[in-house]
Every structure is written in structure tokens, then in C-alpha cells.
Amino acid sequence: MSGYPGDAEFGFELVTCRWAERAWPLDRETDAVPVVARQLGTRNRRWDTVVVEADPNGLAARAAFGGDALDSDLLHVVRNAPAEWAWYRDALPDPGYPWRYVRADVHRAEDRGVVETRRSGNRIEIRRIAPYPDWMRRIVAVENKPDLSASAARALGEQLAHDVETALADEVWVATAATDETVEPALLEDLPVEAGVLTLDFEESTPAAQVAWHPAPLDPDVETSLSPAEKATKRLELAERAYGSGWRSYVETMRPDCRWFELRREAGAFVPWCGAKECHQTAAECAGSCADFQPEPPAWRTRGWPIEGGPGKAIQRLLARRRRRRRDVDP
């Protein structure tokens, strides 16, 4: 088995996301479109990788509301906007907080182009641009642990037990690097039996994946620490955030404008590379505070550079295009 990209989980995480984008799900037939994001969750829990299994027709209809995520307040407006003009206070359910905040959300929705508004005397009336689709089918949470040591497994076991207990996702998985051992080490650790185990082998240009342990299906409609209604709301918000961010958004927290920043194709994914350190750097390392940070020379952004804005801007545009393309039901 060849090593995964980089020495930290960050490179493994990017490769896992790209694999999921191409090949999810591994062990069953479905027409669902995988929408993949990273580092998403709730106030109390954050997952490395989130796969939203989307209905193809619903995903296509979701495009009418733009490429950015709709937050909970905008969802309240968009999902309840009427087909015919109506005063927003008659059209929308009582939010449980002052209506002036809803009015501000209506203006935000209008600015985003996700509802239409007009004035009727002193009243603001709203009308939907289209029905908000039921595009999310399932949510799958994946924890990435390429080297699953005993101490890492203990901490991960507690987190996965929380996931199983709350049942916010439909499935929870651990993704780890494959070994040459007869029994994968992950199966010997004290992990909840409800969690699936996925092994990735990096011998080929595209990772080979195997299901080492199948997960138990979780039921988000069951009452847990959250009610089914609360979970349905949080699940839709998670799906929206996944739709808006994707997994390539890592570049937004790194410094592609550094002269040493590159993208290298590793195991089918574009993984950041630092020319100064000669390694796949982590997101935390790639910052303006890095001792090796050097802004791109101005000449790179002028004097006929073939791509407007310089290499850093070109990298951002490349990843943005690929992120938009992966929302398409026929990429």
C-alpha cells in the first residue's frame, strides 16, 4: 500500500472527499447524486466529511435558488413563500421572535433573488420564484482517520457513539487507510458496531475502496436528545451548507496567493503543495503568519500572465468551477 497524500489527515480528507464524489455509495445501487462537503456539523459535533445523497430532479430544481447556502432564516422565508402575492406576515408561520427580524430576512431573500417582493401600501408582499424542492434524501457522516491508533480510536469511539445516539445522520462511517494485514486494525478497535468502516488503498491513481464493516441504518425520525422536527430542520440546514460550500472550499482558508502554493493531483484529487517546505501542507500551516509566506510577484498578475489575476486567482477559479460542476446532476 502506498502512503496517502501528506503526513496529516488533511490530505487524506481531501482524497476521501474526491473519492466519495466519484464513487459513493460503494455497496448499493442508487440514482442519488452525492453532494460532498468537509468540516460540517452542529454546535456540539463536527464531521470530517459529509455526503448528502440528493434526489437528481430535486437537486436540479434547487439550482433556481443560486449556488450559495440558504441559512435557517432564509429557509423560513423561501420554503413558506406563497405562489401568489401575500403580505409576508400572513404568508409565513409565526417565527417565535419579533417580525422585524423576519422583515430583514425577506429583504435578504429579495437581494439574493430567491423570492420576489413588492409594496402594497405600507405592507411588503412576497411571492416565491419556485417551490423549494425536497432535494435531500439522506445524510452520511464520515470520520477520517488514516492511522487509527488505540488512543485515536478511543476518542473516535466516543464521538461515534454520540452520532449513533443522536441519529442526526442516516449512517456514520470511519474512513481509514488500508493495510496489508488480514484483519484491518480498525475492526479490532472499540468502535460502535453501528458505525461502518471504509478502507482506502492508494496504490492506484484513484483510491480503491472496500467496505470492511457495514454500518447499521440510523433513524432520524426517532426521538432522541432532539425531536424529529428539530432533526429535520438541522438536517436540511446541513444539506444547504454542504451544497453551498462543497469540499474544495479549503482554499478559502489557505493562501493560494503565496508564490509557493501549488495544487498537485494525488489519488484523483487536487491537494495543496508547498514549494518552500516541499510537502503537502495542512490548512493550519498555510497562513499569512507562515515564515515562508511570500506574496506572488506583481509581475505574475500583469505583463501578460496567461490567466487574469495570477496563479492564486486561477487556482481559486479552478476549484470554484469544479465545485459548481459537482452540483450538476450530469457533471
Side-chain angles (χ1 to χ4, degrees):
M1 182 204 75
S2 61
Y4 54 88
D7 297 325
E9 293 179 13
F10 179 64
F12 181 86
E13 187 173 292
L14 298 185
V15 171
T16 301
C17 288
R18 179 56 174 152
W19 170 84
E21 196 173 62
R22 286 176 164 177
W24 187 269
L26 185 65
D27 58 343
R28 57 187 166 84
E29 293 293 328
T30 179
D31 66 343
V33 179
V35 177
V36 183
R38 54 178 295 274
Q39 295 300 317
L40 287 187
T42 64
R43 180 183 303 174
N44 299 320
R45 182 73 171 98
R46 180 176 295 272
W47 294 307
D48 293 334
T49 301
V50 172
V51 181
V52 179
E53 295 183 11
D55 174 79
N57 294 329
L59 185 62
R62 169 60 184 79
F65 298 91
D68 294 331
L70 299 173
D71 60 35
S72 59
D73 294 328
L74 288 179
L75 282 171
H76 179 249
V77 175
V78 167
R79 297 179 72 196
N80 296 291
E84 303 297 335
W85 290 108
W87 183 35
Y88 75 96
R89 290 185 61 165
D90 285 341
L92 304 179
D94 188 337
Y97 49 82
W99 281 101
R100 65 179 182 273
Y101 296 114
V102 180
R103 181 170 178 150
D105 294 330
V106 167
H107 287 307
R108 280 204 301 132
E110 179 192 24
D111 292 340
R112 288 269 300 270
V114 294
V115 296
E116 295 179 322
T117 68
R118 73 179 185 184
R119 284 194 172 272
S120 178
N122 291 327
R123 292 186 169 186
I124 296 176
E125 295 183 338
I126 63 173
R127 183 174 67 178
R128 72 189 185 197
I129 61 167
Y132 181 83
D134 184 16
W135 65 275
M136 178 199 68
R137 288 182 183 172
R138 304 172 77 247
I139 292 181
V140 178
V142 183
E143 285 296 321
N144 301 310
K145 290 293 179 186
D147 296 316
L148 194 59
S149 64
S151 60
R154 283 193 295 271
L156 186 59
E158 295 178 2
Q159 295 171 346
L160 294 174
H162 171 81
D163 296 338
V164 171
E165 181 181 349
T166 56
L168 187 60
D170 296 272
E171 291 176 358
V172 293
W173 290 78
V174 177
T176 188
T179 68
D180 295 326
E181 300 181 33
T182 304
V183 178
E184 290 293 339
L187 296 177
L188 303 177
E189 299 296 348
D190 188 19
L191 302 175
V193 295
E194 296 87 352
V197 177
L198 178 74
T199 61
L200 296 176
D201 192 325
F202 299 93
E203 287 288 354
E204 305 296 334
S205 58
T206 299
Q210 287 190 337
V211 176
W213 184 265
H214 289 269
L218 306 178
D219 187 357
D221 293 327
V222 171
E223 185 89 24
T224 59
S225 56
L226 297 173
S227 70
E230 289 174 317
K231 282 192 279 189
T233 298
K234 288 185 178 295
R235 281 163 57 84
L236 182 56
E237 291 171 8
L238 277 170
E240 275 289 334
R241 289 167 57 199
Y243 182 91
S245 64
W247 62 270
R248 296 176 178 85
S249 57
Y250 64 83
V251 76
E252 296 167 5
T253 58
M254 301 180 79
R255 295 305 302 262
D257 58 330
C258 176
R259 70 178 301 156
W260 301 115
F261 189 95
E262 303 175 24
L263 289 181
R264 292 192 174 182
R265 186 179 288 277
E266 299 282 356
F270 283 126
V271 180
W273 173 268
C274 177
K277 295 184 173 68
E278 295 189 341
C279 68
H280 289 290
Q281 75 275 38
T282 67
E285 291 170 332
C286 189
S289 58
C290 173
D292 293 309
F293 173 74
Q294 293 184 31
E296 293 175 344
W300 287 12
R301 298 187 292 275
T302 58
R303 296 184 184 178
W305 177 262
I307 304 175
E308 181 183 357
K313 290 295 184 183
I315 287 171
Q316 291 175 314
R317 286 195 295 269
L318 168 66
L319 295 180
R321 284 197 305 271
R322 294 178 71 87
R323 179 165 42 175
R324 287 194 300 271
R325 190 181 308 152
R326 292 309 304 181
R327 297 191 192 105
D328 195 331
V329 298
D330 186 18

